């Protein structure tokens, strides 16, 4: 079973060895730049590569400001605080996501509200969000969206661009505007993905990226906050211990965080970013080959939404049933081709099982059927 798929993956990666789900490719200036930081002794939280990585990420994404952080979870935590999320608030998000999305909400002392995802984008459904709001929420006299009749504030909405496929941003922006809710995008997986030709993570009040080892561009560990000038400035301050600028005095004007990205990691990021378009092209080419190979089979290959360019960070198929999913996982992993099921729903985890939620029918359907296939950049695509 699934022998043809295993053969197909091996042909593309040109190996009989174990094939991981997503491995980084270091084919450019990585060694040179990292060595430069060691030679200069600036390996820690300040250094020219941090500034360079931020400016290059601004140019790449079109975001007015990009602020580097120690990881994507820290970026999300700070972004939610900057969007005004406070202890006791509610934040609307999807149950079908990686746990960091919810953890960042919890770090703010707020609680997630889970609404369903779209069948095709796998991202937060604007329609499901509106249905839940119509039923449960109101905008009070001060213009604050609240749980009816006078419950906690519903401060933000945090969609996630699943596996790199952009969520329905126009729909979500429209609902957020009408209900006075701040939109923050978890774009951890979607560096290089465009919605109507604009980079994901630049539509909301703030957006965040991750450069974890399994992402399209890695810094070892790292993240980024995307924001306008004002919030970007605040983001830099909050994530660098809230220190007032001074040549030698230490004065911190609020409780800040040490969420800075070290120069050593930023050096790796600069070298990786230089290869970004080749990485995206390679991943899109691989996705095209998967789609062709699986056409007519009983596995539905997940493709990019209309009007979008996906980075195809992780390729995914939707199986016909949970039992077919289990067979696929067993057959491929036993043959040294790594595949993984989509995450367990957040609403099924002990920490979040008591959170408020709308109908999660599509999320539950997908949870039982989606499998990720090997998705690393193809050999020879770096540098
Ligand atoms: C959707 C999503 N959000 C947040 C994160 C957190 O990023 P990090 O691992 O860099 O903290 C990740 C990935 O790891 C992710 O996939």
């Amino acid at each position: 079973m699934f022998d043809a798929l295993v053969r197909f993956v091996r042909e593309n990666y040109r190996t009989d060895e174990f094939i991981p789900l997503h491995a980084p490719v270091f084919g450019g200036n990585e060694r040179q730049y990292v060595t430069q930081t060691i030679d200069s002794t600036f390996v820690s939280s300040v250094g020219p590569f941090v500034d360079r990585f931020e400016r290059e990420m601004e140019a790449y994404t079109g975001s007015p400001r990009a602020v580097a952080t120690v990881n994507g979870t820290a970026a999300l935590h700070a972004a939610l605080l900057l969007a005004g999320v406070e202890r006791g608030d509610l934040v609307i998000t999807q149950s079908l996501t990686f746990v960091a999305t919810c953890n960042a909400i919890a770090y703010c002392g707020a609680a997630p509200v889970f609404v369903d995802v779209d069948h095709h984008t796998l991202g937060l459904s604007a329609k499901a969000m509106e249905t839940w709001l119509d039923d449960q929420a109101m905008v009070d006299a001060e213009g604050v969206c609240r749980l009816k009749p006078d419950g906690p504030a519903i401060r933000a909405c945090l969609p996630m661009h699943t596996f790199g496929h952009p969520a329905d941003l126009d729909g979500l922006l429209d609902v957020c505007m009408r209900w006075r809710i701040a939109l923050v995008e978890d774009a951890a997986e979607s560096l290089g993905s465009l919605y109507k030709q604009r980079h994901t993570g630049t539509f909301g009040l703030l957006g965040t990226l991750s450069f974890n080892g399994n992402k399209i561009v890695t810094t070892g560990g790292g993240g980024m906050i995307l924001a306008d000038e004002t919030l970007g400035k605040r983001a830099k301050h909050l994530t660098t211990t809230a220190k007032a600028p001074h040549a030698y005095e230490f004065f911190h004007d609020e409780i800040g965080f040490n969420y800075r990205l070290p120069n050593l990691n930023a050096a790796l990021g600069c070298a990786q970013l230089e290869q970004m378009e080749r990485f995206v092209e390679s991943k899109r080419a691989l996705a095209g080959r998967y789609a062709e190979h699986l056409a007519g089979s009983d596995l539905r290959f997940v493709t990019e939404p209309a009007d979008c360019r996906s980075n195809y960070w992780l390729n995914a198929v939707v199986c016909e049933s949970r039992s077919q999913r289990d067979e696929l996982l067993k057959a491929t992993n036993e043959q040294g081709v790594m595949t993984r099921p989509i995450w367990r729903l957040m609403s099924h985890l002990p920490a979040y099982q008591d959170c408020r939620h709308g109908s999660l029918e599509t999320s539950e359907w997908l949870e039982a059927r989606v499998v990720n296939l090997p998705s690393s950049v193809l050999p020879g695509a770096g540098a």
Side-chain angles (χ1 to χ4, degrees):
M1 276 274 239
F2 304 111
D3 286 350
L5 177 60
V6 167
R7 257 197 322 277
F8 168 83
V9 175
R10 292 207 171 283
E11 275 162 23
N12 274 283
Y13 285 105
R14 297 185 225 142
T15 180
D16 292 328
E17 311 271 299
F18 170 75
I19 298 176
L21 197 64
H22 202 288
V25 169
F26 301 121
N29 291 319
E30 286 87 351
R31 274 181 190 76
Q32 187 195 326
Y33 293 174
V34 169
T35 305
Q36 254 173 268
T37 69
I38 295 169
D39 290 345
S40 73
T41 75
F42 280 88
V43 293
S44 197
S45 45
V46 288
F49 280 112
V50 176
D51 299 327
R52 177 168 155 187
F53 191 40
E54 290 179 343
R55 300 300 80 75
E56 288 180 356
M57 199 55 85
E58 286 160 7
Y60 184 76
T61 60
S63 175
R65 280 298 296 266
V67 175
T69 59
V70 70
N71 57 49
T73 311
L76 265 180
H77 180 202
L80 289 170
L81 291 174
L82 291 164
V85 175
E86 292 177 354
R87 182 162 297 281
D89 287 351
L90 298 175
V91 176
I92 296 176
T93 192
Q94 55 205 68
S95 185
L96 193 76
T97 185
F98 179 61
V99 70
T101 315
C102 288
N103 287 347
I105 296 170
Y107 299 162
C108 299
V113 173
F114 300 116
V115 303
D116 218 350
V117 292
D118 282 327
H119 206 277
H120 185 54
T121 67
L122 314 180
L124 194 66
S125 159
K127 194 158 173 278
M129 177 172 165
E130 178 114 66
T131 303
W132 185 85
L133 286 165
D134 276 339
D135 195 38
Q136 302 282 335
M138 53 163 289
V139 177
D140 72 12
E142 275 94 53
V144 177
C145 183
R146 291 191 179 282
L147 204 65
K148 275 192 245 185
D150 57 357
I154 301 162
R155 199 74 68 181
C157 162
L158 183 57
M160 197 276 278
H161 303 298
T162 309
F163 306 145
H165 303 307
D168 169 19
L169 284 162
D170 278 348
L172 291 167
L173 278 166
D174 178 53
V175 176
C176 285
M177 202 183 63
R178 282 189 286 110
W179 286 86
R180 313 278 191 99
I181 295 171
L183 182 74
V184 179
E185 295 172 72
D186 182 350
E189 304 183 352
S190 65
L191 178 66
S193 298
L194 310 178
Y195 178 87
K196 298 191 176 167
Q197 304 190 27
R198 196 167 129 195
H199 203 283
T200 50
T202 65
F203 288 80
L205 189 61
L206 299 120
T208 63
L209 304 170
S210 163
F211 311 118
N212 184 30
N214 65 356
K215 295 299 186 292
I216 187 163
V217 153
T218 187
T219 56
M224 192 75 80
I225 300 170
L226 305 178
D228 65 15
E229 288 292 345
T230 311
L231 283 172
K233 211 164 159 220
R234 284 273 303 129
K236 191 70 178 174
H237 189 64
L238 195 64
T239 56
T240 55
T241 69
K243 184 179 178 296
H246 192 280
Y248 45 83
E249 292 283 0
F250 290 97
F251 182 73
H252 305 263
D253 56 19
E254 61 183 310
I255 299 176
F257 299 90
N258 180 9
Y259 279 174
R260 289 179 282 211
L261 181 73
N263 198 41
L264 189 74
N265 301 76
L268 199 60
C270 287
Q272 288 264 284
L273 199 53
E274 288 169 355
Q275 301 160 80
M276 184 60 195
E277 278 317 293
R278 257 166 295 171
F279 288 170
V280 177
E281 272 168 36
S282 166
K283 289 168 79 62
R284 290 181 58 77
L286 175 64
R289 288 189 219 170
Y290 268 125
E292 209 175 299
H293 177 76
L294 294 167
S297 83
D298 44 14
L299 301 177
R300 177 172 74 78
F301 185 70
V302 178
T303 53
E304 65 195 353
D307 282 337
C308 294
R309 178 186 83 157
S310 174
N311 67 1
Y312 281 94
W313 171 57
L314 282 190
N315 292 297
V317 286
V318 183
C319 298
E320 286 188 324
S321 60
R322 182 183 283 274
S323 59
Q324 189 190 42
R325 177 201 87 146
D326 293 344
E327 282 167 25
L328 173 61
L329 288 167
K330 188 163 184 292
T332 46
N333 284 293
E334 277 179 0
Q335 293 181 72
V337 170
M338 186 170 166
T339 57
R340 285 290 178 267
I342 200 167
W343 315 279
R344 291 283 293 276
L345 293 189
M346 296 301 104
S347 47
H348 291 166
L349 301 184
Y352 301 115
Q353 65 191 5
D354 297 328
C355 292
R356 290 182 176 80
H357 61 86
S359 160
L360 297 174
E361 203 184 326
T362 306
S363 306
E364 278 163 5
W365 192 90
L366 291 165
E367 181 196 35
R369 289 169 179 78
V370 174
V371 172
N372 289 124
L373 305 176
S375 302
S376 311
V377 162
L378 291 169

